[in-house]
Amino acid sequence: QVQLVETGGGLVQAGGSLRLSCVASGSILKIHGMNWYRQAPGNQRDLVASITSDGDTNYLDSVKGRFTIARDNGKTTVFLQMDSLKPEDTARYCCNADVSYLGTDHYSTMRRDYWGQGTQVTVSS
């Protein structure tokens, strides 16, 4: 019913920048909050950045001052601008959204978390 698709990952040298995008589509009534997570092999999954429907943001301490999360005016797309990248930022980055959507009966309002497939970010030293 709802799909999240991330783009923008890639290979970059340390100190470089990348901009990730995550587009939500489907029978969306409202997206309450959107988040970026990352996970490197052998590591736990970390919440990198989050943004509420009101625009309030939060960041992982290690990315504060380097990463910026933002949403478009339609609020179905979330961006993660990543500057001054470090090798330790290397991970698979996944988008997550808390979504209210129209149920299959085309009448009920449902709500759940959705995840994208992720996009790989590799930072070389």
Side-chain angles (χ1 to χ4, degrees):
Q1 298 114 335
V2 176
Q3 298 80 40
L4 301 181
V5 178
E6 303 101 329
T7 56
L11 173 64
V12 65
Q13 287 189 329
S17 297
L18 285 173
R19 187 179 192 231
L20 306 183
S21 299
C22 172
V23 179
S25 62
S27 303
I28 297 168
L29 298 175
K30 182 177 180 179
I31 300 179
H32 304 277
M34 299 186 84
N35 310 294
W36 285 99
Y37 285 82
R38 71 184 182 188
Q39 187 168 22
N43 289 2
Q44 67 180 19
R45 184 172 62 193
D46 289 325
L47 175 59
V48 177
S50 60
I51 186 166
T52 69
S53 57
D54 295 328
D56 295 328
T57 58
N58 270 297
Y59 297 92
L60 184 67
D61 283 347
S62 62
V63 308
K64 284 180 181 177
R66 300 188 298 120
F67 290 11
T68 303
I69 189 170
R71 287 173 72 164
D72 70 329
N73 287 336
K75 299 186 178 180
T76 57
T77 302
V78 64
F79 306 97
L80 186 66
Q81 177 67 40
M82 305 186 295
D83 299 319
S84 302
L85 282 160
K86 304 175 180 180
E88 52 263 42
D89 294 318
T90 295
R92 189 163 189 84
Y93 286 69
C94 291
C95 176
N96 163 267
D98 175 9
V99 182
S100 288
Y101 61 96
L102 193 62
T104 52
D105 60 5
H106 301 286
Y107 177 78
S108 304
T109 297
M110 312 294 285
R111 182 171 177 175
R112 56 161 281 191
D113 270 8
Y114 282 91
W115 291 85
Q117 298 271 14
T119 184
Q120 179 66 33
V121 171
T122 303
V123 185
S124 63
S125 57

